[in-house]
Amino acid sequence: MMFSATYAYSALPVSEEDFRHKALAWADQFPHVAYYNPNAISYPHQGFAHLLAVSSRPAVSLNASEAFQSLRQTLQGEHPLLCGFLTYDLKNQIEKLVSQHPDHVGFSPILFFAPEFYIYFHETGLTAYASTDRIDRILGEIMAASVTPAFVPENIQVRQRVSQEEYAVQVARIREHITEGDVYELNYCMEFYAEDALVQPLPLYMALSAASPTPFSGYLKCQDTYLLCASPERFLKKEGRQLISQPIKGTIRRGHTPEEDAQLQHQLRHNEKELAENMMIVDLVRNDLSRSCATGSVRVEEMFGIYGFRQVSQMISTVTGQLRPDLDLVDALLGAFPMGSMTGAPKISAMQLIEELEVTKRGLYAGAMGFITPDNNCDFNVVIRSIQYNARTRYLSFMVGSAITYDSDPEQEYAECLLKAQAILKVLGQE
């Protein structure tokens, strides 16, 4: 049985920031850790809840080959808070698709764990949850923990899986498919990777979060596999019967001055190609939500919103709907997964071509990290701007991509990919 206790930051002998850093350092001893950080960023329907959860027990038993049906069975009974992820290749269980490329990181297709202890961080304090006799002892252990040292990149050699010349060839192939009517937009991604990379994942995550704070940032440890996430994008949030999805399409760099920044954001808001890309994905997401939402309830709450983050400004739209009373959270996931902004349109054709054109399995990239509450509400991001790391094999990976349309210029699309990779390359000491 879980017991909760609320504490004001003013009652703690350390600052709010020091306490959070100590809590993360303490948590990292456990085999399962999930940290969700909105970075106090204002965002429509808010960012992630600020939450840290840990467990020393095995993950929830789910049948990976029947992931969604297995998850539904878990959610139909009483269950605690669940923290975890859905990998991109679960698409193969939703549609008749395959993924045959090599997977160098090795995340499970799906994983959720039930935390033994978790903390919600609020503006003025925190609420801790654990068994009745453990909360005070755990908080004492956190207070005694040392703050995680700063990340120092050493001997990390990042390489590209696809060269700029190969990238241009693939963009030309995508344009041919668009001409032939196979797709009208496709999100093509490429991998950056480092072999024999000996890194400390938690300090690296904290460096990435400091360099690129986002509303759907997260740190996930599942035994030897880690996700260090600086995502600005929400996949799906469920609040009661309301579903919220917020696709991102449209990217531009930040300006060096407020005047230049405003000019660049104005340029993004009036770029016909970016507007067309965003509109196509909004239509796709509307269709995805319509599969599980009541007729007439799906609407575009905001179209072409421009939001500035540390590295880039993004064009974000918000689509909402009301889940049908005869359907559940898993139905909503089945209708919308994976996020349309990471596939293209039409969605199934785009995913088939992605398998043909890309050379590595996406794994958790383009999948979703999030949590499910005991009352079957949820919040999941889209895993982008993120590092995947296997501590056992020392393989480090991150992917970036952009939406290719007929009007795409290969050099500009390639430059956009590098812009999205900028923060990760910087913290890895590659710039």
Side-chain angles (χ1 to χ4, degrees):
M1 180 177 179
M2 300 296 279
F3 170 77
S4 67
T6 301
Y7 302 83
Y9 289 128
S10 58
L12 300 176
V14 295
S15 69
E16 171 193 353
E17 183 178 15
D18 280 350
F19 180 83
R20 285 191 290 108
H21 289 180
K22 284 174 173 287
L24 277 166
W26 170 85
D28 213 34
Q29 67 183 297
F30 292 89
H32 292 111
V33 182
Y35 178 56
Y36 309 87
N37 186 3
N39 284 293
I41 294 173
S42 177
Y43 202 84
H45 296 280
Q46 303 177 324
F48 268 153
H50 199 171
L51 168 65
L52 172 64
V54 303
S55 178
S56 60
R57 299 169 182 165
V60 174
S61 179
L62 296 172
N63 184 345
S65 62
E66 297 181 350
F68 291 99
Q69 296 90 327
S70 186
L71 180 61
R72 191 195 304 275
Q73 291 174 355
T74 298
L75 300 182
Q76 283 176 341
E78 289 189 12
H79 64 85
L81 176 71
L82 299 175
C83 301
F85 62 80
L86 310 167
T87 60
Y88 171 79
D89 292 303
L90 288 178
K91 64 183 175 58
N92 304 337
Q93 298 183 27
I94 300 174
E95 305 292 348
K96 293 182 179 179
L97 299 166
V98 296
S99 298
Q100 297 177 330
H101 293 308
D103 177 7
H104 299 289
V105 181
F107 275 102
S108 303
I110 182 173
L111 185 144
F112 286 92
F113 71 87
E116 296 174 83
F117 173 77
Y118 56 99
I119 301 173
Y120 281 102
F121 299 97
H122 314 298
E123 287 187 9
T124 58
L126 59 94
T127 304
Y129 294 80
S131 56
T132 305
D133 59 342
R134 296 184 66 194
I135 288 185
D136 289 339
R137 177 172 60 81
I138 290 173
L139 289 176
E141 291 175 1
I142 291 174
M143 294 296 185
S146 299
V147 174
T148 300
F151 176 73
V152 179
E154 294 182 3
N155 301 319
I156 301 172
Q157 301 294 324
V158 175
R159 293 185 283 176
Q160 289 182 224
R161 190 70 66 178
V162 177
S163 69
Q164 184 172 1
E165 294 73 21
E166 291 168 330
Y167 181 88
V169 169
Q170 297 296 57
V171 170
R173 290 182 63 190
I174 295 168
R175 292 180 74 249
E176 289 176 6
H177 282 289
I178 293 171
T179 301
E180 294 167 1
D182 298 327
V183 291
Y184 42 89
E185 178 178 344
L186 187 137
N187 192 276
Y188 173 62
C189 302
M190 59 180 174
E191 184 192 22
F192 291 71
Y193 68 100
E195 296 174 308
D196 198 27
L198 183 58
V199 302
Q200 294 179 293
L202 180 56
L204 177 53
Y205 164 72
M206 295 178 73
L208 177 61
S209 186
S212 184
T214 58
F216 300 101
S217 170
Y219 175 72
L220 190 64
K221 175 184 178 182
C222 302
Q223 303 285 356
D224 291 328
T225 50
Y226 294 80
L227 176 71
L228 323 177
C229 182
S231 175
E233 184 170 13
R234 169 176 277 134
F235 162 53
L236 190 70
K237 182 176 186 177
K238 178 178 177 291
E239 291 183 310
R241 305 306 295 179
Q242 185 180 47
L243 301 182
I244 303 153
S245 189
Q246 293 172 295
I248 291 178
K249 268 289 164 276
T251 304
I252 202 165
R253 68 177 177 86
R254 297 304 303 265
H256 297 295
T257 65
E259 294 76 18
E260 183 190 24
D261 199 49
Q263 181 182 15
L264 287 168
Q265 290 191 349
H266 182 270
Q267 178 182 328
L268 175 61
R269 178 60 179 82
H270 294 86
N271 184 302
E272 290 187 8
K273 173 183 174 294
E274 303 282 20
L275 292 171
E277 288 180 10
N278 195 286
M279 184 176 294
M280 281 188 277
I281 296 306
V282 165
D283 284 344
L284 189 157
V285 170
R286 288 174 60 192
N287 181 68
D288 284 353
L289 292 190
S290 294
R291 296 177 182 179
S292 61
C293 286
T295 302
S297 70
V298 176
R299 67 187 188 93
V300 180
E301 194 172 281
E302 182 183 31
M303 193 82 171
F304 309 141
I306 304 297
Y307 294 86
F309 302 104
R310 180 74 58 81
Q311 308 293 333
V312 295
S313 290
Q314 307 267 202
M315 186 183 293
I316 305 172
S317 296
T318 297
V319 186
T320 63
Q322 295 294 315
L323 185 65
R324 284 167 40 190
D326 58 320
L327 299 183
D328 59 19
L329 169 58
V330 174
D331 292 308
L333 292 172
L334 285 167
F337 190 84
M339 182 58 146
S341 61
M342 296 307 298
T343 61
K347 195 171 186 179
I348 296 175
S349 297
M351 290 189 288
Q352 290 171 334
L353 283 175
I354 285 169
E355 179 66 22
E356 177 184 324
L357 296 165
E358 295 180 2
V359 295
T360 49
K361 188 175 287 189
R362 289 185 173 184
L364 191 42
Y365 176 76
M369 169 191 175
F371 56 86
I372 301 171
T373 64
D375 54 359
N376 286 347
N377 287 329
C378 74
D379 205 357
F380 286 96
N381 69 10
V382 180
V383 177
I384 54 176
R385 321 288 162 81
S386 303
I387 298 170
Q388 299 181 65
Y389 181 62
N390 187 312
R392 181 179 54 82
T393 63
R394 298 183 181 180
Y395 188 86
L396 183 149
S397 171
F398 64 96
M399 296 183 72
V400 291
S402 67
I404 308 302
T405 65
Y406 183 78
D407 295 325
S408 291
D409 175 86
E411 289 190 6
Q412 292 180 1
E413 297 295 344
Y414 185 79
E416 180 178 319
C417 289
L418 294 185
L419 178 63
K420 292 173 178 176
Q422 187 178 69
I424 294 177
L425 289 170
K426 185 175 182 179
V427 299
L428 291 174
Q430 305 299 301
E431 288 190 348

